[in-house]
Structure formats: C-alpha cells, structure tokens
Amino acid sequence: MIYLPLIMGSLGLKDFLSLADLDTKQIQGLLSRAFDLKTAKKADCPLIGKSLVLIFRKPSMRTRLSFEVGMYQLGGQAIGLSMQGIGLGEREPVKDAARVFARYAHGIVLRTYAHTEVLELAQYADIPVINGLDDLEHPCQALADIFTIQEKKGTLKGLKLVYVGDGNNVCHSLMQGASKVGMEMVVASPRGYQPKKEIVKKIQGSRVKGQVSVVEDPREAVAGADIIYTDVWTSMGREKEAIKRKKIFKDYQLNSKLVSLAKKDALIMHCLPAHRGEEITDEVFESKNSVIFDQAENRLHAQKAILVELLGG
C-alpha cells in the first residue's frame, strides 16, 4: 500500500465510534497517518494546548497507556477521570456531563459496557468522542490490528484473516474493518457464541471489498490462513461464565496442531491480555510468527492517528 501524507482533519471524521461508520478511504487514511507518525524522524506536536478526557468503566492497560502517552507525544494532555468521582449516568445524566466536558476539553475517550452510552455521549458532546471499547465493539483495537497486518504483510487486499474463539466486540470491529480494506475474514466460533447475526448480515449485504463468513469448525476456518487471531474466551463482565466457556471452547485453542493448517508464514495475533494455556498455548504465543507485542505497540501509533485527525483541526 502507498502511504500518502495527510492534512490534519482531512478525512472528515467527527467521532470515532465504530469502523462501520468509516469508508475505505477513511480507514486507509488513518493507516497512512499511523505509518507517518510511527516512522517520523523528529517529534511533531500538533496537539499543543489540547486536552483529552479519559473515562473508563472497565479496566484498561493498553488503551489507557496508548492514549495518555499518545497525547503527551503529540504535545497535548490526557486527563483521567474516575467513575467514582463523576458518576456518569448516575450522579449526573450522560447528556449533561457530555456538555460539561465539551466546555473544558477537546475530546473524550469512553471505555464502557453499553454501546448506547457511547452513542449518547457523542450525541450531546460537541467535541469528538472516541470509543475506547464497549460490549459491542472495539474499533481502536481493530484499527491497530489492521495496521499491524499491513505493516507485516505489505498489503491487505486478498489476505485471509481467521478469527478463532468468542464472537465478541473485537471480532465485530475486525469484521467491519477487514471487509472494507479488501480482506477475507472467517470467524470460527461454537454455536451460541458467534458474532451477532445483524452485524454479519449488514457487512455481507453492503458493498465492501472483502468477504466475511462464520463457521463452527476451526480447522476448516484456519486452512490456508494468512493471519490467525484469537482473544480470551471470557470477556470482561462475563466472568461468571468462565468455567462453562472453558468446556465449550476447548476445541478452539490456538495450538501447534491447529496452526499447522494455516500458511507457514501466518501471523499469530491476540489483543491481550491473554490466558496462556486456554485460548492460546505458550508455544504458539511465543512462536516466531507471533506479532502480539507489535500489535500492542501499534495501539499507540493507530490511536495517535485518530487523535491527530479528530483534535488536530
């Protein structure tokens, strides 16, 4: 892919809530900007004087670090607010808090449970809102993942990305993004734990460059894969289901036997944190094909691209 320099704010994005909201050109533009920011020989500080509010209902390491470090490197400031302190939606309605935030800051990152809360915040805040993760989607993670694949493979079009495991928020965002940049994505999940049908149908019924399909057999899915991706079997908020899920997902582990069905140079990806010995073996996690920590690093560069686009104008 050819990377082209971009003018700040040139992609026409107001918020970053879902990759479903972006077209191919906008996704490719963010990837191009992430590449420029990662490979820049000298620091550029386009966000001097800008502030970003971070609101996290769920635990976070990579999302918090990448946004805080990203704002610092771009010349701005990140301000973390505790849920206990602000009581978003409890002590104060979301629509009221949104308009207060807009009087102090230049952008908001919300990491929460309900996707509707992200949408409501964006509706009432007249500053950019970034979805730092919710139960339905994780667009920041997916953008960084696609950037990592492009970085390692040199292209995206025609690659086969296989996701093995729970059809969760990461899976949803990967499907939305991968299909728009020309990748084929196959999801292998047990019945009852597959990605939401309405999201799959919407992607399949849209005019996208890539194809998305869902199967139950992980061996069928992984055959000929260019990339194999997995995530924990039990997402945040579903901890009570952990024992049950371990039994249901036991045949969906990324181990050497399953990985051997893919191409020899297939990338191994995981969004972290990982439960080694469950969804992925230590051997596969630490294999030469693993790009898991490159993925983690690229959260910083991809999110800096989002920040420059939304806050840099």
Side-chain angles (χ1 to χ4, degrees):
M1 180 177 178
I2 298 174
Y3 293 97
L4 299 173
L6 296 168
I7 300 171
M8 290 188 295
S10 62
L11 300 176
L13 299 180
K14 178 184 178 294
D15 300 300
F16 189 78
L17 310 180
S18 168
L19 289 185
D21 299 334
L22 278 63
D23 59 29
T24 299
K25 183 178 179 181
Q26 289 170 324
I27 293 175
Q28 290 175 335
L30 288 172
L31 297 176
S32 182
R33 178 168 285 123
F35 175 82
D36 289 341
L37 289 165
K38 183 173 182 177
T39 57
K41 293 183 180 179
K42 62 178 181 178
D44 189 12
C45 298
L47 300 186
I48 290 177
K50 299 293 179 74
S51 55
L52 180 72
V53 170
L54 305 178
I55 307 168
F56 287 42
R57 286 193 188 277
K58 291 187 174 186
S60 172
M61 183 171 77
R62 280 154 293 277
T63 300
R64 180 178 291 277
L65 268 174
S66 53
F67 276 114
E68 289 191 358
V69 173
M71 281 297 288
Y72 172 78
Q73 291 181 355
L74 293 168
Q77 179 185 23
I79 305 165
L81 299 179
S82 70
M83 284 305 304
Q84 184 179 5
I86 61 175
L88 187 66
E90 299 164 0
R91 178 171 175 267
E92 194 164 0
V94 172
K95 61 183 180 181
D96 290 357
R99 286 174 282 192
V100 171
F101 295 146
R103 301 298 177 101
Y104 288 93
H106 300 87
I108 308 168
V109 177
L110 176 62
R111 184 179 178 92
T112 189
Y113 292 91
H115 186 66
T116 53
E117 187 172 49
V118 177
L119 298 179
E120 184 180 7
L121 188 66
Q123 179 184 352
Y124 288 98
D126 56 4
I127 57 175
V129 173
I130 299 170
N131 183 354
L133 173 146
D134 59 46
D135 283 348
L136 188 66
E137 300 181 35
H138 196 354
C140 291
Q141 180 68 56
L143 183 69
D145 294 336
I146 293 169
F147 176 56
T148 304
I149 294 168
Q150 181 174 268
E151 184 179 54
K152 299 298 181 181
K153 293 293 187 180
T155 187
L156 293 169
K157 188 176 181 180
L159 294 178
K160 181 179 179 181
L161 166 62
V162 176
Y163 178 96
V164 180
D166 186 27
N168 60 15
N169 49 5
V170 173
C171 179
H172 291 153
S173 291
L174 278 172
M175 290 192 301
Q176 292 164 342
S179 63
K180 291 186 178 183
V181 295
M183 299 174 69
E184 174 193 0
M185 183 165 169
V186 182
V187 179
S189 303
R191 190 172 301 179
Y193 296 88
Q194 296 176 338
K196 290 186 177 296
K197 291 181 180 179
E198 57 267 31
I199 292 179
V200 175
K201 287 182 179 179
K202 186 175 182 180
I203 295 171
Q204 292 176 337
S206 61
R207 295 181 179 180
V208 293
K209 295 184 176 182
Q211 300 296 318
V212 167
S213 58
V214 180
V215 300
E216 289 185 46
D217 187 351
R219 294 167 298 180
E220 173 191 344
V222 167
D226 294 290
I227 308 102
I228 312 174
Y229 196 118
T230 192
D231 192 6
V232 294
W233 293 336
T234 307
S235 296
M236 287 182 285
R238 300 185 180 275
E239 287 81 5
K240 292 181 180 180
E241 303 174 19
I243 296 175
K244 176 184 177 182
R245 283 173 174 258
K246 284 181 184 179
K247 295 178 181 178
I248 293 172
F249 282 92
K250 61 182 177 63
D251 293 329
Y252 291 81
Q253 183 188 68
L254 287 200
N255 51 43
S256 57
K257 185 176 181 180
L258 182 62
V259 170
S260 69
L261 301 175
K263 292 181 180 178
K264 290 185 178 180
D265 62 348
L267 304 179
I268 302 299
M269 303 184 76
H270 193 305
C271 57
L272 297 176
H275 294 165
R276 300 191 191 205
E278 291 185 18
E279 75 274 3
I280 187 169
T281 63
D282 197 70
E283 178 185 10
V284 172
F285 188 100
E286 298 288 356
S287 68
K288 61 181 178 61
N289 289 15
S290 172
V291 295
I292 293 170
F293 292 110
D294 295 314
Q295 250 182 291
E297 178 192 338
N298 282 337
R299 289 291 303 277
L300 172 64
H301 309 301
Q303 285 163 196
K304 284 171 68 176
I306 296 167
L307 291 170
V308 169
E309 167 62 23
L310 295 179
L311 278 61

